Amino acid sequence: MFLDGRTEPLPRITDVHMDPRGQGGQSPRAIVWALSFVVLSFGIMQTMLVPSVGVLQREFDTTPAGASWAVVSATLLVSAVVTPLIGRLGDRYGKRRTLLWSLAIYFVGTASAIVAPNLGVLIVLRGVQGIGLSLLPLTFAIVREALPRSAVPFGLALTSGLVGGTAGVGLLVGGVLVDYASWNWLFVV
């Protein structure tokens, strides 16, 4: 017997029956592909700017610290603040809806960064892109909710594995773009 008088344990989330086609009648394969694209889009962007620190330093006549704010610090600071808020919004208004709005904000920040006229604007826009780091917890939550129980381990493994894989790809792509084009092209990819 449990403290609250129950004789049977509460059902776990994984015990709840789900539609074999996933949430909303979508196929698990389509859900995994869509969420993989989400992870790829922000995963590559997070490391693609790392090779550009020196270029940004020269382009904007700033210190290494100033360039680092544009590359990493602003994004991490904003993501540390907004990730719990985005998670709460996902719980309250729906994870899919919150993910789509977050993606829209992320892409606006990315598209605007292409034409950033100075370092201050670039830092602010990289801060806007910080919402992208909150997409990973939302992605994991959607995988758990939307996929059939048998597909959840694969979905979680694929999306979390892509985070590591995109780190290496982002460094390579970023280095090539900075060497042969300009830092603006980092936001086009």
Side-chain angles (χ1 to χ4, degrees), residues 175-189:
V176 169
L177 286 174
V178 167
D179 284 348
Y180 295 105
S182 77
W183 65 268
N184 305 80
W185 282 94
L186 296 171
F187 298 101
V188 174
V189 175

Side-chain angles (χ1 to χ4, degrees), residues 87-163:
R88 181 74 172 144
L89 289 172
D91 290 340
R92 186 169 202 162
Y93 298 107
K95 290 168 185 65
R96 181 177 183 267
R97 177 181 293 165
T98 305
L99 179 85
L100 292 174
W101 277 104
S102 300
L103 267 175
I105 294 167
Y106 173 75
F107 285 129
V108 165
T110 301
S112 300
I114 295 170
V115 294
N118 58 50
L119 185 65
V121 172
L122 183 60
I123 289 172
V124 168
L125 293 171
R126 284 291 289 160
V128 171
Q129 285 182 314
I131 200 169
L133 290 173
S134 67
L135 298 175
L136 189 62
L138 275 176
T139 300
F140 288 160
I142 291 171
V143 165
R144 297 246 334 136
E145 285 183 1
L147 295 182
R149 185 176 176 189
S150 62
V152 169
F154 173 76
L156 290 175
L158 180 64
T159 52
S160 60
L162 283 172
V163 174

